[in-house]
Amino acid sequence: MAYDARFKVWRGDAESGQLCDFTVEVNEGEVVLDIIHRLQATQAPDLAVRWNCKAGKCGSCSAEINGHPRLLCMTRMSTFAEDETITVTPMRTFPVIRDLVTDVSFNYEKAREVPAFTPPQDVAAGEYRMAQVDVQRSQEFRKCIECFLCQDTCHVVRDHEDNKRSFAGPRFLMRVAELEMHPLDAADRVPAAQEEHGLGYCNITKCCTEVCPEGIHITDNALIPMKERVADRKYDPVVWLGNKLFRRDKR
Amino acid sequence: MTANVSETPRAPLPESAERAGRAQLPGKTLRTDRWWLQPTLTVAGLAVFVIYAGVRAFMGAYYWVPAYHYLTPFYSPCTTASCAPGSQHLGAWFGEFPAWLPYGIIALPFLLVFRLTCYYYRKAYYRSVWFSPPACAVAEPRAKYTGETRFPLIVQNVHRYFFYVAALLALLNTYDAIMAFHSPSGFGFGLGNLILLLNVVMLWAYTLSCHSCRHATGGRLRHFSRHPVRYWMWTQVSKLNTRHMQFAWITIGTLILADLYVMLVSAGAFPDPRFVG
Ligand code: SF4
Ligand code: SF4
Ligand code: FES
Ligand code: FES
């Protein structure tokens, strides 16, 4: 069952680097991370890779396999032909530290820019009551493992470094949506979604949804609903008038 | 970091990306699958529809079968005096049209913009026509990108208005399809009715699965528990919404089918197989 596979693994740092060729044993049932570990054990003891759970739950082992942003630990070797050369590279969008390890602090900065959950003033802690139907939409977003594959794939920042300043990326626009849909969140997040977090940069081309290992429908369930909320507030005089006339602020 | 980092030849990256300390990976993508296939098929599909609809809209003929009251959706409502007698379901609002003006001029621009601003079609043409991006993890060709943050693309936010109009036009198409149960002796029912009905059902599926519809029915609420009816509607629309892309393509197919069928029967290419009348 075991066979020898050809691998090209990117090695280097911010200054320089290249794809290095390896031939390495593959056994039945293995995932790409197993192969990277075998490389460390046998041929490249100083190969840098970030990982933790090997169960697709910690979000550490994000990289790109044959150009696809993926988790190393959730990509089965059986999905490749035995004669295929498999290319493993670090995430393109973030600064590389070494080999397959990137510096993802961009994401932590963007996370800090989203104001935290803001409970209503007239309800004391311990008195919060919520109905399941009211929270279930945001529960989908809570499945996020913060692998940042969506952030890596999104062309807004992947292809345009200069947009990093003004665009929070799908993961954090989804965080804004999660709080905006939260029945107890009292903050007004809609104008900021457009003006501060850069929702308008998203052109709903759905690559974030395609790569999300948790299968979260980021575009359909978070980004487009946020765009519709922004349209309510900024681009829809009918809704604006309705809100003025009938004081429909109790949603 | 120093400005000039390396002398080794490598694929050109935007200067800003180099400064950001990214890994210097070769090429615009390392994908090895046929990522270009989907954009190619999308362009082909959209081109077929645009060309077909364009030709038919301007043809000014073969849009009405007087014996069975079949009216193609591309000419509904037919509101000019040039329209064949009986095909003006909403009456004749205008005088004779010159030959170059489509008889369906009232509805066609709305339907066009409805689809142009549709979230699914946006995805489709941003990817396959504008290459922004051509496929996931494949670099786009342009250096600057502002997305839908400014004119003209910020106008995409008006989609909901075109949804409202499209819903009215779907009602009208439904009316047309019902009026088509007709024969010279009164009630009638033929293969054409099935095709027109199929088209109308699919148009409704496409229109109701719209993201703006999903938002308007209940998506904008924060407390589903306080609005049980709207929550129910939102649940139903959400189910349809997961298939919005499929409906977008299916309706391209059924629109062409319905129009082609009316055209061929109207031109006398073959008689409509009748079940009744
Ligand atoms: S849908 Fe929007 S956020 Fe997601 S990858 Fe595409 S542009 Fe980025
Ligand atoms: S949304 Fe999905 S792809 Fe993005 S960080 Fe979370 S789990 Fe990863
Ligand atoms: S190692 Fe934890 S997600 Fe892969
Ligand atoms: S019609 Fe496609 S999203 Fe509205």
Side-chain angles (χ1 to χ4, degrees):
Chain A
M1 284 279 92
Y3 69 98
D4 284 336
R6 274 171 296 133
F7 267 73
K8 281 185 185 297
V9 180
W10 194 86
R11 302 212 55 191
D13 55 23
E15 306 293 316
S16 66
Q18 67 279 321
L19 291 167
C20 299
D21 290 298
F22 296 98
T23 303
V24 53
E25 184 186 317
V26 174
N27 300 303
E28 198 176 347
E30 286 183 328
V31 295
V32 173
L33 185 59
D34 290 311
I35 313 306
I36 299 294
H37 283 159
R38 183 161 300 123
L39 282 179
Q40 283 182 325
T42 57
Q43 307 178 38
D46 60 342
L47 174 64
V49 61
R50 190 187 276 131
W51 69 286
N52 226 297
C53 67
K54 204 170 169 278
K57 282 292 165 240
C58 73
S60 310
C61 65
S62 304
E64 300 189 6
I65 302 169
N66 283 351
H68 286 281
R70 296 193 58 99
L71 295 178
L72 295 172
C73 73
M74 295 304 281
T75 306
R76 294 187 167 274
M77 285 303 297
S78 58
T79 56
F80 303 103
E82 292 193 3
D83 57 355
E84 202 172 337
T85 303
I86 298 163
T87 308
V88 185
T89 48
M91 287 192 280
R92 232 182 235 257
T93 305
F94 310 121
V96 66
I97 296 175
R98 203 160 76 91
D99 302 344
L100 300 178
V101 178
T102 50
D103 173 1
V104 293
S105 41
F106 162 73
N107 301 290
Y108 302 128
E109 284 157 27
K110 292 298 167 183
R112 275 192 292 272
E113 287 171 13
V114 180
F117 171 68
T118 315
Q121 294 214 315
D122 49 349
V123 188
E127 287 177 2
Y128 302 159
R129 295 293 177 270
M130 291 176 273
Q132 173 60 29
V133 286
D134 294 341
V135 284
Q136 69 191 13
R137 260 185 309 181
S138 16
Q139 279 172 340
E140 179 189 11
F141 311 145
R142 303 291 297 183
K143 291 194 296 183
C144 173
I145 60 173
E146 305 232 297
C147 63
F148 305 131
L149 285 173
C150 55
Q151 304 279 93
D152 172 47
T153 315
C154 179
H155 68 116
V156 176
V157 284
R158 184 183 179 94
D159 298 339
H160 309 279
E161 180 71 25
D162 46 335
N163 284 343
K164 276 188 180 170
R165 208 167 352 106
S166 24
F167 185 61
R171 198 274 164 259
F172 298 104
L173 289 167
M174 177 173 92
R175 171 72 177 150
V176 175
E178 176 195 331
L179 292 165
E180 176 56 31
M181 293 174 189
H182 194 293
L184 275 176
D185 185 73
D188 179 13
R189 299 171 187 275
V190 174
Q194 185 82 343
E195 284 146 24
E196 283 159 45
H197 307 299
L199 180 62
Y201 284 88
C202 167
N203 66 353
I204 52 162
T205 36
K206 285 199 176 174
C207 289
C208 48
T209 307
E210 272 184 32
V211 298
C212 177
E214 283 293 312
I216 304 172
H217 295 95
I218 307 170
T219 318
D220 283 351
N221 289 349
L223 303 177
I224 293 176
M226 279 314 286
K227 281 193 177 246
E228 285 292 313
R229 281 170 167 74
V230 169
D232 274 352
R233 291 282 281 281
K234 292 178 68 99
Y235 310 112
D236 190 334
V238 177
V239 173
W240 178 84
L241 198 70
N243 284 342
K244 282 269 166 234
L245 292 180
F246 307 112
R247 306 198 137 270
R248 291 194 305 185
D249 34 18
K250 282 257 171 285
R251 281 180 294 132
Chain B
M1 227 173 105
T2 48
N4 203 345
V5 283
S6 161
E7 255 102 276
T8 46
R10 57 171 184 265
L13 270 172
E15 202 195 350
S16 55
E18 288 186 348
R19 256 185 279 122
R22 298 188 183 197
Q24 289 146 24
L25 300 172
K28 63 177 178 174
T29 185
L30 289 169
R31 280 180 67 166
T32 52
D33 56 336
R34 292 179 298 165
W35 56 262
W36 41 264
L37 185 63
Q38 207 177 357
T40 312
L41 293 177
T42 308
V43 167
L46 294 178
V48 166
F49 183 58
V50 168
I51 293 170
Y52 180 89
V55 169
R56 279 294 284 152
F58 287 94
M59 197 179 266
Y62 309 130
Y63 54 88
W64 170 248
V65 180
Y68 310 135
H69 288 189
Y70 292 164
L71 176 66
T72 159
F74 291 179
Y75 283 71
S76 176
C78 214
T79 50
T80 106
S82 322
C83 295
S87 66
Q88 300 131 319
H89 287 168
L90 297 186
W93 306 349
F94 307 106
E96 296 278 333
F97 266 14
W100 48 267
L101 209 54
Y103 297 172
I105 191 83
I106 290 294
L108 288 178
F110 289 97
L111 293 177
L112 179 71
V113 180
F114 179 50
R115 289 194 185 232
L116 266 181
T117 56
C118 160
Y119 286 96
Y120 168 69
Y121 284 106
R122 269 145 80 182
K123 173 197 165 193
Y125 64 77
Y126 283 148
R127 278 202 192 192
S128 59
V129 179
W130 197 241
F131 294 157
S132 176
C136 300
V138 179
E140 56 184 314
R142 275 164 296 270
K144 266 309 284 171
Y145 173 86
T146 53
E148 300 181 341
T149 54
R150 58 181 69 171
F151 190 80
L153 291 184
I154 199 166
V155 177
Q156 306 276 27
N157 284 302
V158 303
H159 179 59
R160 52 184 58 193
Y161 293 108
F162 292 88
F163 160 72
Y164 299 136
V165 178
L168 291 178
L169 290 171
L171 270 180
L172 181 65
N173 290 137
T174 312
Y175 175 79
D176 295 344
I178 294 169
M179 294 320 277
F181 284 96
H182 179 91
S183 75
S185 56
F187 177 80
F189 175 26
L191 180 60
N193 292 104
L194 289 182
I195 292 176
L196 290 177
L197 268 188
L198 172 76
N199 179 50
V200 160
V201 170
M202 287 302 147
L203 283 181
W204 275 115
Y206 172 69
T207 310
L208 291 178
S209 62
C210 165
H211 285 275
S212 293
C213 176
R214 188 180 184 218
H215 177 74
T217 48
R220 62 192 301 274
L221 299 171
R222 230 180 219 188
H223 291 95
F224 284 150
S225 54
R226 291 185 196 152
H227 306 266
V229 177
R230 290 181 69 184
Y231 174 56
W232 180 86
M233 292 199 301
W234 176 82
T235 314
Q236 305 308 314
V237 171
S238 297
K239 280 183 205 154
L240 286 175
N241 179 261
T242 57
R243 303 211 161 69
H244 192 57
M245 173 181 95
Q246 283 88 326
F247 292 134
W249 285 105
I250 290 172
T251 48
I252 284 188
T254 59
L255 278 169
I256 292 184
L257 175 70
D259 179 78
L260 194 64
Y261 191 87
V262 172
M263 173 168 86
L264 292 176
V265 171
S266 157
F270 57 83
D272 181 42
R274 304 297 290 175
F275 311 125
V276 180

